[in-house]
């Protein structure tokens, strides 16, 4: 161990305030939130803002309420909205970002200007972006009027107020769907492990998959979360929000990909050319594989942004548009408009768990490779 | 931190496609630029119309007569909040940058056992959804007597800014040769002298990145703004959301308000875009 010189003690002393602040504001507050989520604080409106509210421990009741309670259908629709939003948002940003980066990589004239144009939405706040796009997506306005500029008929798509949806499923089937998805993933893991000759992993994965499938066949169909069927799907009201989000964030993936493309040594491209690779082959076999770590990185960053997104939705759809809402917005409204703190804390905790699934492996991986280097 | 290296001239030439490929490249660029700039055109076209000439059917038309009054009217509604935001963003940014610089220096030049784990734990704070800390944060700020004051908001921004500012400075100082620090140590300089004489003077590019990044983040933030402040201390993002959320308001006003609220960060981005991109790339945690 390195000796603790005076200077190193100073280093620790300098870091201490930050460590304490992060300890309180991140870890202690998270602990508090989880604790609050297990109480009934605010479930009785009369007690919510009392000076010394009577707070009782209720265990997981708030979570049960959110996933199965009659009144919390909004939250369940929001979870589904977030899922679809995340998928389309990431796909959109990656597609547009990669496309722009590939074009800019051809070194057009005025590259700086093009880059500036594609990146400027990043400097705006989601509130500004949301305000602008809300205006553009008015029922008889901007985007819907665009066809008339070319002599066509105005479109009548209900951008932010549509109640139509596709890919609907009954919430009651959620355990079944989850079991099927997890089971399928486990089967893939088992097959892979078998191919790599890892016996233990093959057996464990296969056994878990078998258990899940047995459960799904015999017990799952009889599990009913709700008394009545409750359909959720991809609401068309989310489409406009997804477009605005891609408009704002795709410049970010472009910047990431461009940095990656510029980091690929020219010799590699030339070697591929010498070997007789066509342009398409060079991208397929040389460039894209080298960009895959960037894709993963971007997916994680965009994924955690999309799980947290709240202000864009607030500015575009408003607080009361259930068809186009997300849990992060619901948490704010539940806690600070309705003063149902425990329920809000439960939503906050669920968000944290979702984000942690994405971020913790990522951070762990980043630091493992970094320590490997040094 | 990943900078964007400029490719060499020969490489650039090698990748310049000729003839048709070139035309397609520019065509695609123009189409994409169009998509990105349309909202800007519409915002200005709407902000410059008189309220009674804002008809949805003619939303795309450039106003026959420019009406600049919307801007002064919008300023009347959000000007005070703009000043709140300015004070908030400048103060929080300066404090964040100083804290981040010291943290980054301590973490990169005076490594101790467990420093990486500590840093990873710190960094997690950058990614948490603030909804998961919002209720205790609100209580805490209230208990400190800072609820409704701009200082509560500054405190929150400085604390939750620690991870990213530390990260940016840590990566920046990692590129400063350790030999420089060692030489100063041999000359008898200590922790603070080395910071003041060696590290701080060469930190300007790092400060520029952090200041731009934090200023933009703080200026654009909404959740804390909506939770920790009340009338009088609300920043411009909140004021704009109120302005645009009202149903009776005609659209020239929120559009002018959006332009006002966007102007400071947009200017920073246009003037110092290079550093903005560096901050952006640093956010993806490249060691």
């Amino acid at each position: 161990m390195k000796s603790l010189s005076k200077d190193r003690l100073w280093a620790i002393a300098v870091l201490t305030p930050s460590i304490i602040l992060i300890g309180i504001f991140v870890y202690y507050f998270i602990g508090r939130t989880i604790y609050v989520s297990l109480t009934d604080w605010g479930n009785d409106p009369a007690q919510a803002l009392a000076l010394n509210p009577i707070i009782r421990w209720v265990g997981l009741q708030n979570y049960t309420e959110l996933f199965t309670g009659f009144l919390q259908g909004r939250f369940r629709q929001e979870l589904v909205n977030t899922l679809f939003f995340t998928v389309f948002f990431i796909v959109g940003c990656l597609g547009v970002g990669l496309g722009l980066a590939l074009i800019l990589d051809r070194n057009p004239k005025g590259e700086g200007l093009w880059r500036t144009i594609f990146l400027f939405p990043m400097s705006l706040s989601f509130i500004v972006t949301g305000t602008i796009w809300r205006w553009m997506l008015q029922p008889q306005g901007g985007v819907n009027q665009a066809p008339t500029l070319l002599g066509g008929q105005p479109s009548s798509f209900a951008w932010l107020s549509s109640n139509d949806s596709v890919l609907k499923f009954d919430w009651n089937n959620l355990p079944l769907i989850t079991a099927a998805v997890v089971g399928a993933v486990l089967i893939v893991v088992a097959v892979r492990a078998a191919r790599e000759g890892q016996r233990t992993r093959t057996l464990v994965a296969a056994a878990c998959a078998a258990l899940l499938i047995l459960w799904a066949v015999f017990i799952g169909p009889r599990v009913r979360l709700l008394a009545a069927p409750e359909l959720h799907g991809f609401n068309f009201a989310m489409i406009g929000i997804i477009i605005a989000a891609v408009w704002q964030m795709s410049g970010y993936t472009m910047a990431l990909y461009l940095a990656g493309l510029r980091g690929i040594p020219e010799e590699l491209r030339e070697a591929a050319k010498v070997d007789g690779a066509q342009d398409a082959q060079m991208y397929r076999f040389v460039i894209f594989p080298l960009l895959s770590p960037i894709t993963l990185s971007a997916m994680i960053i965009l994924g955690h942004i999309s799980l947290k997104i709240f202000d864009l939705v607030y500015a575009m759809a408003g607080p009361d548009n259930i068809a186009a809402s997300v849990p992060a917005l619901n948490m704010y409204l539940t806690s600070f408009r309705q003063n149902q703190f425990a329920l809000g804390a439960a939503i906050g905790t669920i968000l944290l768990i979702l984000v942690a699934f994405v971020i913790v492996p990522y951070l762990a991986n980043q630091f493992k490779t970094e320590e490997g280097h040094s | 931190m990943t900078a964007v290296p400029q490719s060499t001239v020969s490489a650039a030439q090698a990748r310049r496609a000729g003839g048709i490929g070139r035309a397609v490249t520019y065509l695609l660029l123009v189409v994409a630029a169009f998509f990105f700039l349309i909202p800007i055109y519409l915002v200005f076209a709407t902000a410059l119309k008189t309220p009674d000439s804002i008809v949805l059917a003619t939303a795309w038309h450039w106003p026959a007569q420019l009406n600049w009054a919307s801007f002064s009217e919008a300023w009347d509604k959000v000007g005070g909040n703009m000043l709140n935001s300015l004070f908030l963003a400048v103060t929080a940014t300066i404090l964040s940058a100083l804290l981040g610089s010291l943290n980054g220096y301590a973490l990169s030049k005076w490594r101790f056992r467990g420093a990486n784990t500590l840093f990873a734990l710190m960094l997690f704070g950058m990614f948490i959804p603030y909804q998961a800390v919002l209720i205790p944060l609100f209580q805490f700020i209230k208990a400190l007597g800072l609820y409704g004051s701009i200082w509560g908001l500054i405190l929150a921004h400085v604390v939750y800014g620690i991870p990213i500012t530390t990260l940016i400075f840590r990566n920046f100082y990692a590129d400063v040769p350790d030999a420089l620090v060692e030489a100063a140590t041999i000359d008898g300089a200590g922790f603070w002298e080395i910071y003041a004489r060696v590290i701080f003077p060469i930190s300007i590019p790092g400060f520029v990145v952090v200041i731009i990044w934090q200023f933009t983040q703080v200026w654009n933030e909404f959740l804390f703004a909506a939770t920790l402040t009340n009338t009088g201390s609300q920043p411009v993002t909140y004021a704009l959301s109120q302005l645009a959320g009202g149903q009776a308001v005609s659209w020239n006003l929120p559009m002018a308000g959006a332009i006002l609220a966007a102007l400071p960060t947009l200017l920073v981005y246009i003037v110092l875009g290079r550093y903005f991109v560096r901050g952006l790339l640093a956010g993806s945690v490249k060691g």
Side-chain angles (χ1 to χ4, degrees):
Chain A
M1 178 172 174
K2 287 170 189 161
S3 71
L4 276 180
S5 66
K6 197 173 127 213
D7 292 330
R8 212 157 257 128
L9 283 177
W10 266 120
I12 294 171
V14 160
L15 286 170
T16 306
S18 298
I19 294 168
I20 293 173
L21 285 170
I22 294 285
I24 295 173
F25 279 70
V26 175
Y27 293 96
Y28 170 69
F29 282 2
I30 286 174
R32 266 300 295 169
T33 300
I34 294 172
Y35 165 74
V36 169
S37 77
L38 300 172
T39 69
D40 69 344
W41 185 23
N43 290 359
D44 171 10
Q47 285 291 322
L49 292 177
L51 209 52
N52 289 306
I54 301 167
I55 298 174
R56 276 177 312 229
W57 178 270
V58 297
L60 293 174
Q61 192 188 299
N62 290 312
Y63 296 90
T64 321
E65 176 66 23
L66 285 171
F67 283 97
T68 62
F70 175 67
L71 288 174
Q72 295 300 328
R74 170 174 180 160
F75 173 75
R76 298 189 279 274
Q77 179 58 52
E78 288 167 338
L79 271 186
V80 177
N81 282 347
T82 296
L83 180 77
F84 284 112
F85 179 86
T86 303
V87 171
F88 290 119
F89 171 65
I90 291 181
V91 169
C93 283
L94 290 180
V96 175
L98 180 61
L100 293 175
L102 287 175
I103 298 173
L104 285 181
D105 191 45
R106 296 168 74 95
N107 294 297
K109 285 210 179 68
E111 190 199 312
L113 175 69
W114 299 115
R115 233 180 17 207
T116 306
I117 293 175
F118 302 144
L119 255 171
F120 87 86
M122 270 295 296
S123 70
L124 307 180
S125 67
F126 276 124
I127 294 289
V128 169
T129 301
T131 307
I132 296 173
W133 279 89
R134 179 182 186 164
W135 162 235
M136 303 211 347
L137 298 178
Q138 286 298 297
Q140 282 100 38
V143 171
N144 278 351
Q145 287 292 334
T148 61
L149 295 175
L150 304 168
Q153 287 296 310
S155 148
S156 60
F157 189 74
W159 284 100
L160 298 167
S161 47
S162 172
N163 282 319
D164 294 336
S165 60
V166 287
L167 300 170
K168 277 188 264 205
F169 68 95
D170 184 355
W171 187 260
N172 280 319
N173 294 333
L174 186 72
L176 214 54
I177 296 169
T178 315
V181 171
V182 176
V185 171
L186 282 170
I187 289 171
V188 172
V189 170
V191 170
R192 276 198 174 176
R195 255 191 229 147
E196 287 164 21
Q198 294 182 320
R199 278 199 61 192
T200 332
R201 207 197 289 172
T202 313
L203 286 175
V204 171
C208 290
L211 268 177
L212 264 176
I213 288 165
L214 280 177
W215 181 87
V217 171
F218 291 107
I219 305 172
R222 269 176 283 156
V223 176
R224 282 275 165 268
L225 293 175
L226 302 161
E230 186 180 284
L231 293 180
H232 296 294
F234 173 54
N235 276 333
F236 288 167
M238 292 299 290
I239 295 175
I241 300 175
I242 293 169
I243 293 174
V246 171
W247 179 80
Q248 166 132 7
M249 293 298 297
S250 52
Y252 172 72
T253 33
M254 178 205 73
L256 281 180
Y257 276 128
L258 202 56
L261 284 168
R262 294 287 151 83
I264 295 173
E266 201 54 38
E267 296 83 54
L268 262 180
R269 298 175 195 254
E270 276 167 20
K273 282 226 176 92
V274 171
D275 288 347
Q278 302 289 311
D279 258 14
Q281 286 173 319
M282 182 172 71
Y283 280 112
R284 170 78 180 74
F285 295 108
V286 181
I287 308 236
F288 289 153
L290 286 170
L291 290 181
S292 57
I294 293 181
T295 304
L296 182 68
S297 205
M299 280 174 75
I300 285 161
I301 302 286
L302 294 171
H304 104 275
I305 290 174
S306 87
L307 291 175
K308 297 198 291 199
I309 204 154
F310 142 83
D311 24 12
L312 184 68
V313 182
Y314 183 94
M316 285 185 79
D320 303 314
N321 188 339
I322 296 168
S325 185
V326 287
L329 176 56
N330 190 349
M331 185 277 160
Y332 169 74
L333 297 173
T334 304
S335 310
F336 294 98
R337 289 265 171 92
Q338 293 143 25
N339 300 318
Q340 288 185 290
F341 296 106
L343 210 53
I347 301 174
T349 308
I350 293 167
L351 273 176
L352 180 73
I353 294 169
L354 288 177
V355 170
F357 267 121
V358 176
I359 287 303
V360 171
Y362 179 63
L363 279 182
N365 190 35
Q366 286 268 349
F367 280 86
K368 220 180 2 185
T369 50
E370 190 171 305
E371 291 195 68
H373 278 306
S374 59
Chain B
M1 184 167 23
T2 325
V4 186
Q6 296 298 316
S7 40
T8 59
V9 177
S10 69
Q13 280 167 347
R15 247 176 292 147
R16 283 226 165 106
I20 298 171
R22 199 109 193 99
V24 172
T25 302
Y26 284 108
L27 184 69
L28 288 174
L29 279 172
V30 170
V31 170
F34 204 63
F35 172 66
F36 279 88
L37 290 176
I38 278 178
I40 300 305
Y41 166 78
L42 277 179
V43 167
F44 274 97
T46 310
L48 291 170
K49 281 177 188 166
T50 51
D52 53 318
S53 65
I54 297 178
V55 184
L56 288 167
T58 59
W60 288 82
H61 297 221
W62 188 254
Q65 284 227 299
L66 298 188
N67 166 44
W68 293 93
S70 309
F71 285 94
S72 61
E73 206 181 322
W75 176 264
D76 286 341
K77 306 229 176 198
V78 303
N81 306 94
M82 292 273 291
L83 298 177
N84 284 342
S85 281
L86 193 66
F87 179 72
L88 164 74
V90 169
T91 316
T93 300
I94 292 172
L95 293 175
S96 292
L98 288 174
L99 201 58
S101 166
L102 283 171
N103 283 346
Y105 166 61
L107 276 172
S108 67
K109 292 294 167 235
W110 303 96
R111 284 185 215 105
F112 48 89
R113 185 179 271 200
N116 263 352
T117 314
L118 185 75
F119 182 58
L121 285 173
M122 240 185 198
L123 220 47
F124 182 62
M126 187 164 111
F127 296 104
I128 56 163
Y130 294 134
Q131 278 83 1
V133 293
L134 201 59
I135 293 169
L137 176 68
F138 169 74
Q139 288 181 284
F140 188 78
I141 296 287
K142 217 172 166 184
L144 288 178
L146 292 176
Y147 170 75
S149 120
I150 208 107
W151 290 101
L153 205 49
I154 290 175
L155 177 65
H157 279 300
V158 171
V159 173
Y160 291 111
I162 289 174
I164 180 81
T165 57
T166 305
L167 170 76
I168 295 176
F169 273 112
R170 178 179 171 271
N171 290 346
F172 179 77
Y173 293 141
D175 292 338
V176 175
D178 284 345
L180 221 59
V181 175
E182 276 156 31
T185 326
I186 291 164
D187 290 345
F191 182 89
W192 290 107
E193 277 166 283
I194 294 174
Y195 180 75
R197 299 243 180 98
V198 181
I199 297 291
F200 187 76
I202 54 171
S203 301
I204 292 175
F207 270 101
V208 175
V209 173
V210 166
I211 286 172
I212 289 169
W213 179 255
Q214 272 303 86
F215 182 85
T216 314
Q217 292 300 307
V218 176
W219 185 279
N220 288 344
E221 203 276 340
F222 179 72
L223 183 60
F224 293 157
T227 315
L228 302 179
T229 56
N230 52 21
T231 324
S233 59
Q234 273 143 356
V236 69
T237 43
Y238 188 80
L240 179 61
S241 79
Q242 295 305 100
L243 190 63
Q247 296 299 324
V249 185
S250 49
W251 280 93
N252 60 319
L253 215 50
M255 289 304 111
I259 292 171
L260 290 179
L263 218 47
T265 53
L266 208 52
L267 275 180
V268 164
Y269 166 69
I270 288 170
V271 177
L272 299 161
R274 205 151 47 97
Y275 298 95
F276 181 84
V277 175
R278 270 190 220 168
L280 205 66
L281 297 177
S284 67
V285 206
K286 287 260 170 66

